[in-house]
Amino acid sequence: MTTTTASTAAARKPVAWGRIALHLGCLAALLVMLYPLAWLLATSLKPANEVIASLDLLPSHLEWSNYETAFEGVNEVSIWRLLSNSLLIAGGAVLGNVISCSLAAYAFARLRFRFRGPLFAFMIATIMLPHHAILIPQYIIFNQLGLVNTYWPLILPKFLATEAFFVFLIVQFMRGLPRELEEAARIDGCGPFRSFFQVVLPLTRPALITTAIFTFIWTWNDFFTQLIYLFDPDKFTLTLALRSFVDASSQSSFGPMFAMSVIALLPIVLFFLAFQRFLVEGMASSGLKG
């Protein structure tokens, strides 16, 4: 009996050590990923002479004036105006992608029409097309329409289902939904649009929330496109304000710039924490049912 117990304990030892090693490895990876955020937060509270010269993570004393300067804004534009501009663009992009991509995905996933396969393949191929390849033609079009230096070039394309990745994501999710639900709705007299809005769309909520989360994060962090289309400081977003903060004087104010970076990061963190469960559910469902 004693021999059996000892052999059982010896057999369990490698499993225990393996779990400890796995947890330590995950903890080390977590620390590596969180270090840039910790460095950003610590640097936003450092005095100006310690931002570049000092290699220490923690500041010698907390410089709260960095956040006071950041809240004053840049180019006589308050941070609340910059924040509202960012929210307006990100919110419009989310609304446009959710509406247009879900409609396009329903057409590819459920409806039968000529050249559906080639058109779907062509749409998927646009994912590999670099954004810079279409930037100049788009700018020429919006410039001729008189929409440059407005928010329309940043929001309007989202209502035209130009994001092939999200269309593909929602198509994969819709293909896993049972067709019997739509057939029952069709028997009750529902047409394609009513079936879409009352049957398919509520069941596609995880994929729609995933689309909304990624759209919000990508649009909020977008710098290049906003730099091309926005000239007026009153229309600047937080992302553009960071560049203006550095260029506002001959000497870059690194402390306030990092403080504004922390402020710009907070909405993304809060948005992700609020919808994290739906993000995992949407990605898992889309991958398993595709």
Side-chain angles (χ1 to χ4, degrees):
M1 187 70 173
T2 306
T3 306
T4 306
T5 306
S7 60
T8 304
R12 289 179 178 176
K13 261 190 176 181
V15 177
W17 283 111
R19 286 187 175 181
I20 293 175
L22 177 62
H23 284 80
L24 290 177
C26 293
L27 182 61
L30 179 63
L31 292 177
V32 170
M33 289 185 291
L34 290 181
Y35 178 79
L37 296 178
W39 183 88
L40 175 63
L41 182 60
T43 307
S44 67
L45 294 171
K46 283 184 178 181
N49 59 344
E50 293 185 12
V51 174
I52 301 298
S54 177
L55 297 178
D56 297 333
L57 177 63
L58 299 179
S60 59
H61 67 276
L62 301 181
E63 191 72 26
W64 294 106
S65 61
N66 292 337
Y67 282 90
E68 295 177 2
T69 307
F71 273 102
E72 293 175 0
V74 293
N75 298 327
E76 299 182 354
V77 181
S78 68
I79 194 172
W80 304 114
R81 179 63 181 270
L82 300 172
L83 181 63
S84 62
N85 293 341
S86 298
L87 288 174
L88 176 62
I89 296 175
V94 168
L95 183 64
N97 264 348
V98 169
I99 295 176
S100 62
C101 292
S102 60
L103 287 170
Y106 179 73
F108 283 121
R110 291 306 205 214
L111 303 183
R112 296 290 182 267
F113 54 91
R114 296 184 62 183
F115 306 114
R116 186 185 66 161
L119 288 176
F120 183 72
F122 180 77
M123 182 207 66
I124 296 299
T126 60
I127 297 178
M128 300 179 288
L129 188 66
H131 175 65
H132 304 80
I134 61 175
L135 182 62
I136 295 178
Q138 279 186 349
Y139 183 86
I140 294 174
I141 293 173
F142 285 120
N143 188 39
Q144 292 176 348
L145 294 175
L147 298 179
V148 175
N149 199 29
T150 66
Y151 297 140
W152 287 112
L154 305 173
I155 299 176
L156 185 60
K158 308 299 182 181
F159 284 87
L160 303 177
T162 56
E163 300 286 348
F165 171 77
F166 296 121
V167 176
F168 175 75
L169 176 72
I170 302 174
V171 165
Q172 294 299 97
F173 190 92
M174 287 184 177
R175 285 177 176 174
L177 300 178
R179 290 184 176 272
E180 289 78 5
L181 297 175
E182 294 171 81
E183 293 175 357
R186 193 176 297 112
I187 293 175
D188 291 337
C190 292
F193 280 99
R194 192 172 178 185
S195 298
F196 168 73
F197 285 107
Q198 295 188 358
V199 178
V200 177
L201 196 62
L203 298 176
T204 321
R205 188 182 66 168
L208 298 180
I209 294 179
T210 303
T211 300
I213 292 175
F214 277 111
T215 302
F216 183 86
I217 294 175
W218 292 350
T219 306
W220 187 275
N221 291 330
D222 184 25
F223 171 78
F224 185 71
T225 309
Q226 297 173 8
L227 178 65
I228 294 297
Y229 288 108
L230 299 179
F231 310 143
D232 190 355
D234 288 335
K235 296 183 175 66
F236 278 4
T237 62
L238 281 173
T239 309
L240 291 180
L242 290 174
R243 184 210 60 168
S244 301
F245 215 100
V246 176
D247 299 338
S249 61
S250 58
Q251 183 179 3
S252 299
S253 303
F254 289 107
M257 182 187 68
F258 286 118
M260 185 173 286
S261 300
V262 173
I263 297 172
L265 187 64
L266 283 177
I268 298 178
V269 175
L270 296 177
F271 192 84
F272 178 80
L273 292 178
F275 298 99
Q276 178 184 7
R277 177 172 60 90
F278 299 102
L279 174 65
V280 176
E281 180 183 353
M283 293 298 292
S285 302
S286 301
L288 291 176
K289 296 183 179 181

